[in-house]
Amino acid sequence: MAEKILDVQNLVVTFDTYQGSVQAVRGVSFHVNKKETVGIVGESGCGKSVTIRTVMGLNPKKNGSVKDGQALFEGRDVLQLSETRHFQLEEIARIFRVPLHLINSLDHATYSNIEHQSIEFIKYSISPWVIRIEQEMEKSLLLPSEKGKYTIKMNVDGLMRGDYKSRMEGYAIGRNGGWLSTNDIREMENMNPVSEEEGGDLYLVNGAMCKLSDAGIYADKPKEDTATNRKRGK
């Protein structure tokens, strides 16, 4: 008789929704023998992925739960070990300062906080290593005569990019402030440059803006100058 490695019996998994509890898996049973490959097939939405993710302990804990059944792996019920495994997952992520969503643990993840967690990962986990690598490369690769002339920097701007709306708002500020040109922006968005004849390299500012010391200068101009200019047709 073949030796069973995995034996799933009467598995029932539900998810809590706004409209009540929904059964995603209902009474599923199967087993996998040693040196055997098993494929689970079925129509879309029948519970294939939920079944496998449940056995692996990867279903979100905040709204998914196992209501019945067991999954014996080499005689041990892995469903009872899922909480311990999840705790171990968080501990490992904490040691290496990796956000949980990057290792597919999405229990507390939302659309908004994932973006901020990703940016914090670059700032507080990746950046210290980037600085160490840059310093070591400058120390090992540059000649003494070159160290005051050249620096080595790793560009992580691509990893820091926010959502489309935030990027466009940032580009608009730089464009209106005169410190970004059309081609500067297009380069950061991996787009082809605009020709110099079409103004792609121009740095523009709002024509209505002036220096603080020049504010109200036209209002203080003598009236006779205005009358003289009118006679001259200016």
Side-chain angles (χ1 to χ4, degrees):
M1 183 176 178
E3 179 184 356
K4 292 182 181 179
I5 295 179
L6 177 65
D7 187 13
V8 178
Q9 303 173 6
N10 193 35
L11 184 64
V12 178
V13 182
T14 63
F15 287 91
D16 296 328
T17 69
Y18 294 110
Q19 298 179 346
S21 181
V22 175
Q23 273 195 346
V25 176
R26 182 185 306 169
V28 171
S29 299
F30 65 93
H31 66 269
V32 181
N33 294 326
K34 190 174 183 180
K35 297 183 179 180
E36 183 180 47
T37 301
V38 173
I40 300 178
V41 297
E43 62 183 11
S44 177
C46 70
K48 305 184 299 294
S49 299
V50 173
T51 299
I52 299 305
R53 290 173 65 89
T54 300
V55 174
M56 297 177 65
L58 295 177
N59 274 334
K61 302 294 185 299
K62 62 181 179 180
N63 61 348
S65 60
V66 178
K67 295 299 184 182
D68 195 8
Q70 57 182 359
L72 303 176
F73 179 75
E74 296 181 343
R76 294 180 301 171
D77 191 354
V78 296
L79 300 181
Q80 302 299 323
L81 301 175
S82 60
E83 293 296 331
T84 302
R85 293 170 62 191
H86 185 73
F87 174 75
Q88 293 172 341
L89 192 69
E90 290 186 353
E91 288 298 299
I92 294 172
R94 186 176 293 113
I95 291 172
F96 292 99
R97 307 174 80 176
V98 175
L100 290 174
H101 72 272
L102 291 181
I103 54 176
N104 202 30
S105 180
L106 305 175
D107 290 358
H108 306 290
T110 65
Y111 177 79
S112 59
N113 68 20
I114 280 182
E115 179 183 351
H116 292 290
Q117 288 180 32
S118 299
I119 294 175
E120 289 178 353
F121 174 62
I122 303 302
K123 291 174 62 177
Y124 301 119
S125 299
I126 298 297
S127 292
W129 285 102
V130 168
I131 293 173
R132 293 186 184 102
I133 294 172
E134 291 172 345
Q135 292 174 342
E136 182 61 30
M137 292 177 70
E138 290 183 2
K139 175 184 175 182
S140 304
L141 301 179
L142 297 181
L143 297 174
S145 59
E146 296 176 328
K147 289 183 178 179
K149 186 177 180 181
Y150 300 105
T151 58
I152 297 176
K153 294 294 180 183
M154 301 178 69
N155 190 349
V156 296
D157 290 345
L159 301 176
M160 296 286 288
R161 292 174 61 175
D163 61 271
Y164 183 82
K165 181 174 181 293
S166 299
R167 297 202 313 274
M168 294 305 108
E169 290 174 350
Y171 294 152
I173 293 173
R175 181 67 167 147
N176 294 334
W179 47 273
L180 282 179
S181 68
T182 298
N183 284 339
D184 291 336
I185 297 172
R186 294 179 68 86
E187 181 179 359
M188 288 185 283
E189 287 294 312
N190 297 318
M191 301 172 68
N192 292 329
V194 174
S195 65
E196 186 176 354
E197 292 75 14
E198 295 177 306
D201 295 323
L202 292 177
Y203 294 89
L204 307 175
V205 294
N206 193 332
M209 299 176 66
C210 65
K211 295 187 296 183
L212 183 61
S213 59
D214 293 340
I217 191 172
Y218 295 103
D220 296 335
K221 195 171 183 179
K223 294 182 178 180
E224 54 270 16
D225 292 345
T226 304
T228 303
N229 291 335
R230 189 180 297 113
K231 290 179 181 180
R232 294 175 179 173
K234 294 184 179 181

